[in-house]
Amino acid sequence: MATELRLPLLGDIMTEGTLRRWLQADGARVEAGQPLYELETDKVSFTVEAPAAGVLRRLVTEGEVVQVGGLVGRLEEAAEAGPAPSPEPVSLPEPPVPPGPASVEEPVGPAPPVGPARLRATPAARRLARELGIDLAALGSERRLREADVRAWQAASERAAPEATAYAGRRRAIGERMVRSLQTSAQVTLNSEVRVDAVLDMIEGLNREWRERGVVLTLTRAVVKAVAVALGDHRHLNVRLEGERIVPREGVHVGVAMDQEAGLIVPVLHEVDRMSLEEVARELRELTRRAEAGRLTQADLEGATFTVSSLESTVVDAFTPIVDPPQAAVLGLGRVREVAAFEGSGVVRRRVATLSLTFDHRVTDGAPAARFLGRLADLLERPYLLLEGRR
Amino acid sequence: MARELLFSRAENEALRQEMERDPTVILMGEDVAGGAGRADQGFIDAWGGPMGATKGLIQRFGPERVIDTPICEMGFIGAAVGAAVTGLRPVAELMFVNFVGVCLDPIMNEGAFLRYMLGGQVSVPLVIKTAIGATGRAPERGGGSAAQHSGSMYSIFAHVPGLKCVAPSDPYTAKGLLIAAIRDDDPVVYCSHRQLAGTKGEVPEAPYTVPIGKARTLRPGRDVTLVGIARMTGVCLEAADRLAGKGVEAEVVDLLSLSPLDEETLVESVRRTGHLVVVDEDTPRCSVARDVAAVIADRAVDHLDGPVKTVTAPHAPVPYSGVLEAAYVPTPEAVVAAALATLRD
Amino acid sequence: MPDAAPEATAGPDLLGDAELLRRLYRQMVLIRRFEERVHALRQSGALQGSAHLYVGQESVAVGVCARLRWNDYVASTHRGHGHAIAKGVDVARMMAELFGRETGTNHGKGGSMHIADAAVGMLGATGVVGAGVPMALGAALSARTRGTDQVAVAFFGDGAMGQGLVYECLNMSRIWKLPLVFVCENNGYAESTPVEYALGTKHLAGRAEAFGVPAATVDGQDVFAVYGEMGRAVARARGGGGPSFLECQTYRYYGHFIGDDPRRYRTAEEEAYYRARDCIERFERAVVGRGALAEAELRAIDEEVGRTIEAAVRFAEESRPPAPSALTTDVYAR
């Protein structure tokens, strides 16, 4: 009796996945729990383990995209894995045959792990690649990679003209979701320029206080906290549109968009409403580290009603973010700018940033959304309000 | 004004100045003066040691402090240990390092271990001054001094806890290290390369020390670290010149102290250059060169941008034939090749 | 100092053995010509390797080895050319060794200080003073254990009498009654250090006797005296009587090594005294003076030896140096 291997569902919005790499040879005998293959979705990489013991029969090749529930292989019992041995003793004086079903080409039993040949790189090259976040495998070389190779690759990739690449994998997944979002929802974007002098001063002060604790606060992290506070007051945006129902969400769960080599990824900071500002800063840092290390779990990617997308560290002043259904809204944060402003009859220097709130008009209307945005602006202009509240 | 001195005269000056400064310093060994007992016939100081490094000392300090011994290394080096623990600072000359085969016991089991075994009750302020190295004679003119008189072998001493071991590379370090060795309260083996004895260099006249346990960087460079020991430091400098012609900036570190080992200087250099070549005239197994390589593998591995190379003698005794001896000793060509190999492999 | 230079002390039995006389003479002259040629090669710069010359002491090696069979053992010293020639090592291959050539006795790896030829019982020489003595003791032990009647000879100098292991060997040879002859060549100097400084007593034979080893002191510049005393020692060894100790009082004409000027530690008068007792001249006076051999016969031997030495130099010069690959061969048996 064979065990069928079907592509597992890893998240609520997953529809397909790429079988990136088989970890066992075709025909290999595997035990339950042994790693079988690497599955890559638009958000995560995941190692699928053998659900039972058996001899592996692969049915798809590495790199193939498979629908959720699609058959990728089978785990067969030993007897059905090959031609059955002859039931009768052979009487002719033939050369002895090895007993059992073993075939010459495909050894039965634990096979050595398959995969690319071990990458050769000097320790210094590995260290630099680690520091720059470069996957050495991308450099691929016959000889041992050196530090200079990594530097050259980095320099080249920074100035390289874009090459045509396949519209596939995470890139395609992101693209198709964005298209689907725009085609199936009614998105409206509201912009508001808010003063950030006070919040930036507070951030600077807190960072001095918190240095010993290893906590770093940024404007983006403060905005996430402000969003959580504001969502508590504006429940109409703390919802998910699931099919025919608008479902309110317990607690506040905020997605935070992060830019990665392979494309956008949006891990979720859960239960932000229960966190102090310091905890938000700390937890976001940890989430960022996990994302960089490729160690996000499926739970890290699910359950948000709202996303913060920050271009704070870029030259962008304002932009139109796209809602990621079934979420209700997304907030864009532009860079901090200095502007001249009237204060009484005088002109003063002021630091401002533009908040861009895109919401799905199917779940709420313009006026409440504007009030939500106004509350956000208020929280950032009187940032001590971020220090109170629930723990 | 800088004053030039022969390597062997720099050693001589170190001994003379220390014997003047400290009446407990004595010198003993085979033919450290020579022609012993014949002052009445007008013979005094016939040899002054095999390289002439101790010449003139007996006239200055007399036979009570410059003591010719019979040929009995085990006996007189054992006696030097005994004298060291009872108030003297003996400098015992082991004519060639290979003769350690005759007297490793007093050097190791007594000299090196005594302080530890006795729970720190005694110190052993002893210097073993010995000659190392191949002869470097012309390859086509017969040969050198063969296996029993041309070894380097300092790895034996570096291996023994309680012993210190230094190897100068020029007249300046010869004088400074010898004085430092005499003033040190532990047994120090001072290794003097026979081919350096006749080289000249700047040597300050006043007494000074070169610290034991410190390497020195003779030439800065950013591409590869060349570590030299004794005469091999000069070989490294020559190799660095040739590498410069190929656009490679080599840093040359003169190890000087084989035990204790200056790990910081080595690690710091390799962290900058990412490449290491250690050049050692000793044989390779369990050698100082491989020890340096191990330190780097342990403490600077993330900065290595190529394999660590050691350029050493082969795992063989020193041959007599000049042709073979020339092939035995590391050359600048071999160092250049090793540097290019770690940079380009 | 100089009393009249004595003749060699040949008795009538020896003077009657013309073949032995020719052999003793030829070997002494062969050693001397070989050493003088090496000296000349070093002076001319043609050779650079370390070498310690045996000139002056020829009668010791020749007198001792004339009593040995081809398969008896000899362990030698850094001053070993004479021992090797007297034991029958080919001078052409020795010369090639000094030239560092592949055809040398040690294939160029050992040089002057380590000449060996196992085929004639020449165990080789060590440059570590005294270290050859236990080697010979081991050879004697081996011979007795294997049940042969081979005898072993340990050559060493007065300098080695400072080394403790020589006394360890005297003791072992006596308690095991080994077929071993200790031949101490007292040439007056350990490197530059005079024997009267380095040794507390001149009576070296007494040291051996203290261990129970029969000992004798002979005039090492008299080949007949050495030959005679060695005859008794070898007979004792081969007959199961155990070890003997022979102090041969001799003199080296040159310095400790080529390049050492002995006048830094000894007088011209002292040198003249010993040169007046030169072993070859004494031999010739005794043998020719008593009509045992004709002078023409000796001159013929001189010429033949001269040709042999020149042929040896040519052989060495024409031989190839070892291939660089030889550097790491013979480090291990396999």
Side-chain angles (χ1 to χ4, degrees):
Chain A
M1 266 246 290
T3 304
E4 291 190 332
L5 298 170
R6 294 186 176 276
L7 201 78
L9 176 68
L10 296 177
D12 50 2
I13 41 93
M14 174 179 167
T15 55
E16 59 183 30
T18 307
L19 194 148
R20 182 54 61 204
R21 200 154 76 93
W22 283 104
L23 301 175
Q24 304 291 343
D26 199 19
R29 179 183 297 280
V30 298
E31 298 301 324
Q34 258 185 290
L36 270 189
Y37 61 92
E38 279 178 10
L39 167 62
E40 194 179 75
T41 73
D42 52 339
K43 294 295 186 193
V44 288
S45 276
F46 188 82
T47 299
V48 179
E49 295 172 353
V55 175
L56 176 64
R57 285 287 171 238
R58 300 175 176 182
L59 296 177
V60 303
T61 56
E62 294 183 345
E64 223 174 299
V65 177
V66 183
Q67 295 298 306
V68 169
L71 197 60
V72 300
R74 281 197 195 87
L75 289 172
E76 299 174 342
E77 287 180 6
E80 58 190 15
S86 168
E88 302 285 322
V90 179
S91 53
L92 291 172
E94 285 182 350
V97 286
S103 80
V104 181
E105 294 79 16
E106 296 172 339
V108 175
V114 270
R118 187 173 147 73
L119 182 79
R120 290 201 310 148
T122 67
R126 290 182 191 277
R127 173 185 47 78
L128 184 63
R130 219 159 42 230
E131 286 168 5
L132 296 175
I134 292 172
D135 180 5
L136 277 176
L139 278 71
S141 168
E142 287 298 299
R143 57 167 180 75
R144 190 188 286 116
L145 290 167
R146 291 190 301 267
E147 198 175 4
D149 298 321
V150 180
R151 281 192 205 291
W153 195 86
Q154 166 79 354
S157 62
E158 276 170 0
R159 63 169 183 267
E163 281 176 31
T165 51
Y167 181 47
R170 193 193 284 189
R171 182 77 263 136
R172 181 170 190 142
I174 294 166
E176 291 187 349
R177 283 174 67 171
M178 293 301 105
V179 169
R180 200 158 57 238
S181 171
L182 288 173
Q183 285 172 347
T184 60
S185 65
Q187 302 194 15
V188 179
T189 302
L190 309 176
N191 292 312
S192 176
E193 187 176 278
V194 300
R195 292 176 57 180
V196 291
D197 292 297
V199 70
L200 288 176
D201 288 346
M202 185 184 81
I203 287 168
E204 193 185 336
L206 287 176
N207 278 338
R208 264 199 307 277
E209 291 297 314
W210 293 348
R211 185 177 303 148
E212 304 252 306
R213 299 185 233 170
V215 180
V216 179
L217 187 61
T218 63
L219 181 58
T220 302
R221 290 170 186 177
V223 166
V224 170
K225 170 66 180 173
V227 163
V229 174
L231 280 178
D233 304 334
H234 295 79
R235 312 295 300 183
H236 57 92
L237 277 174
N238 195 27
V239 298
R240 289 159 67 89
L241 179 56
E242 293 178 354
E244 302 298 308
R245 294 157 53 82
I246 295 173
V247 182
R249 189 83 168 87
E250 274 296 309
V252 176
H253 313 274
V254 180
V256 183
M258 293 178 185
D259 175 44
Q260 285 202 326
E261 180 89 25
L264 178 71
I265 193 160
V266 190
V268 178
L269 193 62
H270 289 284
E271 302 192 330
V272 192
D273 52 321
R274 294 171 180 272
M275 294 181 187
S276 67
L277 182 60
E278 183 184 344
E279 284 165 341
V280 169
R282 191 190 299 277
E283 293 299 319
L284 272 175
R285 191 178 196 195
E286 175 57 29
L287 198 61
T288 307
R289 279 185 182 155
R290 285 221 303 284
E292 281 170 356
R295 294 208 313 269
L296 293 176
T297 63
Q298 194 59 35
D300 284 328
L301 298 167
E302 292 178 345
T305 59
F306 192 103
T307 290
V308 172
S309 179
S310 171
L311 294 175
E312 178 199 352
S313 58
T314 72
V315 297
V316 172
D317 295 336
F319 60 105
T320 312
I322 300 175
V323 175
D324 186 10
Q327 295 182 19
V330 55
L331 180 77
L333 171 64
R335 66 163 170 169
V336 174
R337 324 187 292 287
E338 290 199 324
V339 295
F342 288 109
E343 204 170 272
S345 56
V347 176
V348 296
R349 183 205 298 259
R350 198 172 269 177
R351 284 177 290 176
V352 299
T354 301
L355 298 180
S356 306
L357 177 72
T358 299
F359 67 95
D360 187 343
H361 217 318
R362 293 177 299 168
V363 301
T364 190
D365 295 326
R371 282 196 292 278
F372 171 80
L373 195 55
R375 173 67 173 145
L376 269 184
D378 180 39
L379 287 167
L380 292 176
E381 284 168 10
R382 294 191 293 151
Y384 50 83
L385 296 174
L386 298 176
L387 295 173
E388 59 163 19
R390 289 144 295 208
R391 277 226 33 148
Chain B
M1 233 343 255
R3 178 190 61 145
E4 292 231 314
L5 219 56
L6 276 176
F7 188 98
S8 57
R9 298 318 294 167
E11 291 181 333
N12 185 281
E13 189 168 273
L15 288 165
R16 185 168 51 73
Q17 289 175 345
E18 284 307 286
M19 291 180 81
E20 279 168 356
R21 189 186 64 83
D22 181 351
T24 68
V25 177
I26 63 165
L27 173 67
M28 59 198 296
E30 292 150 7
D31 301 274
V32 290
R38 291 205 168 159
D40 56 332
Q41 295 176 34
F43 296 117
I44 187 163
D45 209 16
W47 271 26
M51 313 293 168
T54 50
K55 202 158 182 58
L57 296 176
I58 193 166
Q59 285 95 323
R60 175 72 182 77
F61 302 105
E64 286 76 31
R65 291 181 65 196
V66 179
I67 304 167
D68 274 321
T69 66
I71 300 176
C72 54
E73 292 85 2
M74 188 169 184
F76 81 76
I77 288 186
V81 174
V85 299
T86 52
L88 295 187
R89 286 184 179 270
V91 178
E93 179 157 282
L94 182 61
M95 191 173 284
F96 291 102
V97 71
N98 290 84
F99 302 167
V100 70
V102 186
C103 56
L104 187 59
D105 185 71
I107 294 175
M108 180 178 75
N109 281 322
E110 282 79 37
F113 296 167
L114 207 60
R115 179 181 170 79
Y116 186 84
M117 289 189 299
L118 272 55
Q121 294 180 64
V122 294
S123 288
V124 187
L126 164 70
V127 178
I128 309 275
K129 179 177 181 293
T130 192
I132 59 168
T135 62
R137 290 182 187 142
E140 294 304 327
R141 305 279 170 81
S145 291
Q148 293 179 338
H149 294 74
S150 316
S152 288
M153 324 229 90
Y154 31 65
S155 58
I156 291 174
F157 306 117
H159 185 71
V160 175
L163 280 186
K164 296 176 181 175
C165 183
V166 297
S169 60
D170 61 12
Y172 174 82
T173 49
K175 180 175 172 182
L177 282 173
L178 188 48
I179 291 181
I182 292 169
R183 295 183 186 177
D184 200 285
D185 284 336
D186 288 312
V188 181
V189 181
Y190 171 94
C191 300
S192 188
H193 197 290
R194 60 195 292 166
Q195 283 188 60
L196 292 178
T199 60
K200 274 191 161 180
E202 287 181 15
V203 179
E205 202 155 346
Y208 62 93
T209 58
V210 168
I212 295 172
K214 282 282 178 200
R216 73 178 168 156
T217 303
L218 281 181
R219 172 182 176 133
R222 61 176 188 192
D223 295 330
V224 57
T225 301
L226 309 179
V227 176
I229 299 168
R231 195 180 83 82
M232 292 301 107
T233 298
V235 169
C236 287
L237 287 171
E238 200 177 326
D241 279 342
R242 297 187 193 190
L243 284 165
K246 298 173 188 291
V248 174
E249 290 180 25
E251 178 151 309
V252 176
V253 175
D254 184 12
L255 198 57
L256 294 178
S257 179
L258 315 184
S259 179
L261 199 58
D262 183 359
E263 297 190 9
E264 298 313 317
T265 296
L266 296 167
V267 167
E268 190 278 325
S269 177
V270 175
R271 277 174 186 247
R272 274 187 290 101
T273 64
H275 296 274
L276 175 65
V277 179
V278 194
V279 188
D280 186 352
E281 192 177 322
D282 204 349
T283 50
R285 296 282 109 79
C286 299
S287 62
V288 174
R290 298 270 167 96
D291 195 23
V292 168
V295 165
I296 295 305
D298 182 10
R299 296 192 49 195
V301 70
D302 281 340
H303 301 268
L304 281 175
D305 202 23
V308 172
K309 294 288 179 188
T310 56
V311 183
T312 68
H315 183 59
V318 186
Y320 167 81
S321 166
V323 176
L324 293 182
E325 198 200 65
Y328 183 88
V329 178
T331 58
E333 293 77 14
V335 178
V336 167
L340 294 180
T342 178
L343 285 164
R344 297 187 182 157
D345 171 35
Chain C
M1 184 195 304
D3 35 338
E7 277 185 0
T9 54
D13 51 331
L14 291 180
L15 290 176
D17 188 343
E19 195 192 323
L20 173 68
L21 295 178
R22 276 192 292 271
R23 186 148 60 88
L24 294 175
Y25 179 76
R26 181 180 183 275
Q27 289 209 313
M28 288 196 290
V29 172
L30 187 60
I31 293 170
R32 179 153 305 179
R33 296 287 168 270
F34 183 90
E35 297 291 66
E36 285 177 343
R37 194 72 174 88
V38 171
H39 189 254
L41 287 164
R42 281 290 306 260
Q43 298 303 307
S44 73
L47 269 189
Q48 291 192 339
S50 301
H52 305 76
L53 300 180
Y54 196 67
V55 178
Q57 305 179 204
E58 294 88 345
S59 42
V60 178
V62 171
V64 166
C65 291
R67 289 292 190 180
L68 298 178
R69 298 176 183 164
W70 70 271
N71 63 347
D72 287 336
Y73 296 113
V74 164
S76 178
T77 71
H78 57 281
R79 197 177 311 287
H81 299 174
H83 309 143
I85 293 171
K87 194 64 177 65
V89 180
D90 174 34
V91 289
R93 294 183 58 222
M94 285 178 64
M95 193 63 87
E97 185 62 27
L98 297 191
F99 274 74
R101 302 301 156 97
E102 196 176 26
T103 52
T105 49
N106 305 25
H107 307 293
K109 285 183 176 171
S112 162
M113 269 190 284
H114 309 296
I115 287 170
D117 186 352
V120 295
M122 180 68 188
L123 294 175
T126 163
V128 177
V129 171
V133 179
M135 290 277 296
L137 182 99
L141 180 70
S142 165
R144 209 198 39 199
T145 305
R146 288 181 286 109
T148 74
D149 65 351
Q150 287 163 290
V151 168
V153 172
F155 283 107
F156 54 96
D158 49 284
M161 292 302 283
Q163 292 281 32
L165 83 175
V166 171
Y167 301 95
E168 296 172 25
C169 290
L170 278 168
N171 188 48
M172 284 187 280
S173 70
R174 177 65 182 88
I175 63 174
W176 298 331
K177 293 186 94 174
L178 295 177
L180 175 64
V181 184
F182 296 85
V183 178
C184 176
E185 295 184 84
N186 181 355
N187 66 14
Y189 295 89
E191 302 180 345
S192 80
T193 300
V195 67
E196 75 266 16
Y197 172 86
L199 297 174
T201 163
K202 285 185 179 176
H203 187 41
L204 302 187
R207 299 182 176 201
E209 282 163 354
F211 285 90
V213 176
T217 303
V218 299
D219 178 355
Q221 291 183 291
D222 178 353
V223 70
F224 296 118
V226 175
Y227 182 78
E229 198 56 49
M230 187 63 189
R232 283 184 280 280
V234 169
R236 184 180 295 124
R238 238 187 271 287
S244 307
F245 181 96
L246 205 57
E247 181 201 349
C248 301
Q249 295 178 331
T250 179
Y251 200 72
R252 65 166 148 81
Y253 290 0
Y254 291 103
H256 169 58
F257 54 89
I258 299 181
D260 172 34
D261 173 11
R263 289 291 175 78
R264 295 184 298 180
Y265 47 84
R266 67 191 193 191
T267 61
E269 290 74 26
E270 182 188 290
E271 289 182 1
Y273 171 81
Y274 285 101
R275 279 180 182 272
R277 311 162 88 85
D278 180 79
C279 61
I280 294 174
E281 287 173 15
R282 282 168 76 184
F283 176 92
E284 188 169 337
R285 277 200 302 278
V287 170
V288 176
R290 295 188 208 169
L293 288 178
E295 190 179 347
E297 234 178 321
L298 300 184
R299 298 293 81 80
I301 290 173
D302 291 347
E303 276 183 37
E304 178 269 320
V305 163
R307 285 194 301 274
T308 301
I309 296 295
E310 288 319 303
V313 173
R314 270 199 310 282
F315 173 75
E317 285 172 340
E318 288 165 6
S319 293
R320 283 181 315 186
S325 60
L327 203 50
T328 51
T329 59
D330 286 325
V331 178
Y332 300 102
R334 61 167 63 86

